[in-house]
Amino acid sequence: EEKTGSITDGFVPLQVEAGKTHTYILQLKFFKTGFNEIKSTLIPREQFKFFKNELYQSLNEKKTAGILLSGMLLMMILVALLNYYITKKAEFLYNALYSMCMFLLIFLTNFLVMNPGWFKGIFISYLDLLLLITGTILYIQFTRYFLNTKEQYPKLNKFLILESQVISILMILYTILHF
């Protein structure tokens, strides 16, 4: 019985001689997500580098759109930080942090789309939701400061505070249940 140890990049190296058959038993740890997938592909050792390069580096319409959207969000972050620097208004800082969460969400989703590594599993199973919830809370804060709801719309302000608290509690519960 031969053990290969921990596989961290998603690829399991095997050697099969011509005309021989082997039985392999893999013990796998799946992430808590609906996107777990096992795909078996035999690749000659000399082609493996090219296979990984094609897997990670190939561009398609979805990746191109993700790169463009990430670039736009990066520009939004810079503009919001510049506005914060000039005016010292908190709403621009909240907007920059919200844009940063959305940038990370879109960029990492786009970057990890064909990456079979462990970080993709953690990202898809937990970190993407954390970025989405954090971004939502930051956008609510941006809205509260931008509209001056504390003075202009006190009922709306209370509702937005309550909404942020409920979303935060739900994220904490999800974190406890997830781990």
Side-chain angles (χ1 to χ4, degrees):
E1 182 175 308
E2 184 181 327
K3 286 193 170 187
T4 60
S6 177
I7 306 297
T8 58
D9 67 354
F11 294 99
V12 179
L14 304 172
Q15 285 189 328
V16 180
E17 297 85 25
K20 301 280 182 168
T21 60
H22 293 278
T23 301
Y24 293 96
I25 299 173
L26 301 175
Q27 181 178 358
L28 306 170
K29 292 182 181 178
F30 289 103
F31 289 98
K32 295 179 181 177
T33 178
F35 298 104
N36 289 312
E37 180 181 15
I38 299 173
K39 187 184 284 186
S40 62
T41 306
L42 294 176
I43 304 157
R45 183 180 305 242
E46 60 275 2
Q47 295 294 318
F48 187 65
K49 182 179 175 183
F50 300 110
F51 175 79
K52 284 178 84 174
N53 188 40
E54 180 68 26
L55 186 67
Y56 297 145
Q57 305 300 328
S58 63
L59 278 179
N60 57 29
E61 294 83 17
K62 186 177 179 182
K63 271 190 169 184
T64 304
I67 291 168
L68 287 173
L69 190 54
S70 295
M72 287 188 274
L73 284 166
L74 199 54
M75 294 302 294
M76 284 178 60
I77 293 166
L78 294 174
V79 168
L81 287 174
L82 183 62
N83 279 331
Y84 175 71
Y85 179 76
I86 292 170
T87 65
K88 303 292 187 243
K89 291 184 177 182
E91 59 257 36
F92 293 116
L93 184 60
Y94 286 124
N95 190 276
L97 292 172
Y98 158 76
S99 296
M100 178 61 79
C101 287
M102 295 304 106
F103 167 79
L104 289 172
L105 180 65
I106 291 169
F107 179 78
L108 290 174
T109 299
N110 188 51
F111 179 74
L112 296 172
V113 73
M114 292 301 291
N115 188 331
W118 64 270
F119 183 71
K120 178 184 179 181
I122 292 171
F123 180 77
I124 296 294
S125 68
Y126 178 74
L127 291 179
D128 61 345
L129 182 63
L130 179 66
L131 284 171
L132 187 63
I133 297 295
T134 303
T136 301
I137 292 169
L138 289 167
Y139 196 78
I140 291 170
Q141 288 298 101
F142 162 73
T143 303
R144 287 182 56 229
Y145 280 87
F146 187 73
L147 296 178
N148 193 16
T149 58
K150 190 173 187 178
E151 294 175 15
Q152 300 280 338
Y153 312 101
K155 286 183 180 180
L156 178 60
N157 189 56
K158 287 179 185 177
F159 175 77
L160 292 175
I161 290 171
L162 178 65
E163 183 181 16
S164 293
Q165 291 170 343
V166 168
I167 292 172
S168 297
I169 290 168
L170 288 173
M171 189 64 211
I172 290 168
L173 288 173
Y174 179 77
T175 301
I176 292 167
L177 292 173
H178 184 78
F179 293 109

